[in-house]
Amino acid sequence: MNPEQHPGLHQLSWPEVKRAATCDSSTVVVPWGSLEQHGPHLPLGTDGFFAEKVLQQVLNLLPPQLPIWWLPLQSLGFAPEHQGFGVSFTQQAETMLAQVEAIAKPLAQAGFQRLVLFNGHGGQISLLDVAARQVHGRHPQLGVHSWFLWDVEGLLELIPEPEGREDLHAGLAETSLMLHMAPELVQLERAVPEPPPAPPPGLSLEGRCPSAWHTMDLSRSGTVGTPQRANVALGATLYHKLVQGWLTSFTTLLQSPWPPRRSIESSDRI
Ligand SMILES: [Zn+2]
């Protein structure tokens, strides 16, 4: 990852990092992935690849004066739901909470004002939410955001039915996006359709009244969805929506004082 206008924090010397931290609205973003099976047709590093590449393009498009720096991709994630398909890596939840703290603490101490965890893996949304809440509690002056790559307004509406409903993992959306971004990483001839079972009315695997699903409960190939109709056109549409959506969110964040943080005086009063 090497956006043209915004350097990574690790590419600066320590006096430069010190200066960056004291900029008004200074913000650091960390792309976060996971090394986990993505069916027989996509690579293990799919989630991190998407998070990093979309973030890179967003950073390319952000005006250079905006105070944002980034750290390298954290490629090892929390993915116990994908165990059992060859080699799948997962962190312990406690390790990952500690890892977020290890990143946040020095940033907060240096004076950075915001940390964005830019996450590509759906299975660790809630863990990163917990990490963000915990870290903000320890470092109240650091605004902490846990953002999920696919959580862009209007994005899911672009995925046609019935695939949209069935697309939990390595299905139409992820396969199409990879066909657009890196077709050499897709082995479409190996893709196996395995849509998830339909839940009883009002219940779900994800969404309202969800279940803690593991892929082995649902699939023999590791795919939970129907990737065989994946196509470059849909991938391009998803990619542009992702980039535009995140460009808007990052621009809004960087031009605002968001999120609200307690003042020193108000914590003194309590
Ligand atoms: Zn994932």
Side-chain angles (χ1 to χ4, degrees), residues 190-241:
R190 301 196 170 198
V192 178
E194 288 199 68
L203 307 183
S204 66
L205 289 168
E206 296 198 338
R208 209 185 145 267
C209 300
S211 318
W213 60 271
H214 274 220
T215 308
M216 287 196 87
D217 303 330
L218 308 170
S219 168
R220 293 170 60 121
S221 68
T223 301
V224 187
T226 43
Q228 71 277 20
R229 286 212 298 150
N231 61 88
V232 181
L234 176 61
T237 305
L238 294 171
Y239 177 76
H240 293 298
K241 187 79 177 173

Side-chain angles (χ1 to χ4, degrees), residues 36 38 47 82 120-122 169:
E36 65 191 41
H38 272 78
D47 293 345
H82 293 299
H121 170 44
H169 188 70

Side-chain angles (χ1 to χ4, degrees), residues 24-28 67 112-116 136 140-147 248-262:
D24 192 28
S25 291
S26 54
T27 300
V28 175
F112 281 98
Q113 294 174 25
R114 284 186 292 233
L115 169 64
V116 181
H136 179 60
Q141 300 314 310
L142 185 71
V144 188
H145 306 270
S146 166
W147 288 357
T248 303
S249 299
F250 275 101
T251 305
T252 306
L253 180 76
L254 290 165
Q255 291 177 339
S256 79
W258 193 258
R261 274 152 284 178
R262 74 195 79 168

